[in-house]
Amino acid sequence: MHSTDPTVIWRLTRGRATAHATIIPGTAHMTVMWFFDGVMDRAENYDSLDLAVARAEDIKGVLLRDGWMEPS
């Protein structure tokens, strides 16, 4: 694994649907991407890994409140 490899930071399910967030580190910014059923929904760039992870966790919280669950 290299420091520039994409990393899935969480996965969720709701019924047969799946969601996950991936962070792609870069030299100028970090990119966080959300996928639903394997299709990218959104990508956002942040100046630091901490900000990217915080945003991804914020989205995870929204999804959990909407009925998504962490896989067992």
Side-chain angles (χ1 to χ4, degrees):
M1 180 177 222
H2 294 69
S3 61
T4 57
D5 287 345
T7 301
V8 173
I9 59 170
W10 53 255
R11 295 179 192 275
L12 299 174
T13 61
R14 185 169 68 178
R16 293 180 14 193
T18 62
H20 72 274
T22 299
I23 289 189
I24 303 171
T27 55
H29 58 266
M30 303 288 166
T31 303
V32 62
M33 302 165 61
W34 296 275
F35 294 81
F36 293 91
D37 294 327
V39 177
M40 186 180 68
D41 180 68
R42 186 177 185 121
E44 297 177 357
N45 293 323
Y46 292 93
D47 293 332
S48 72
L49 180 59
D50 288 342
L51 290 172
V53 170
R55 176 66 171 139
E57 289 300 312
D58 182 51
I59 295 299
K60 179 182 178 184
V62 169
L63 294 174
L64 288 171
R65 288 188 295 279
D66 196 36
W68 291 78
M69 299 186 325
E70 297 184 75
S72 47

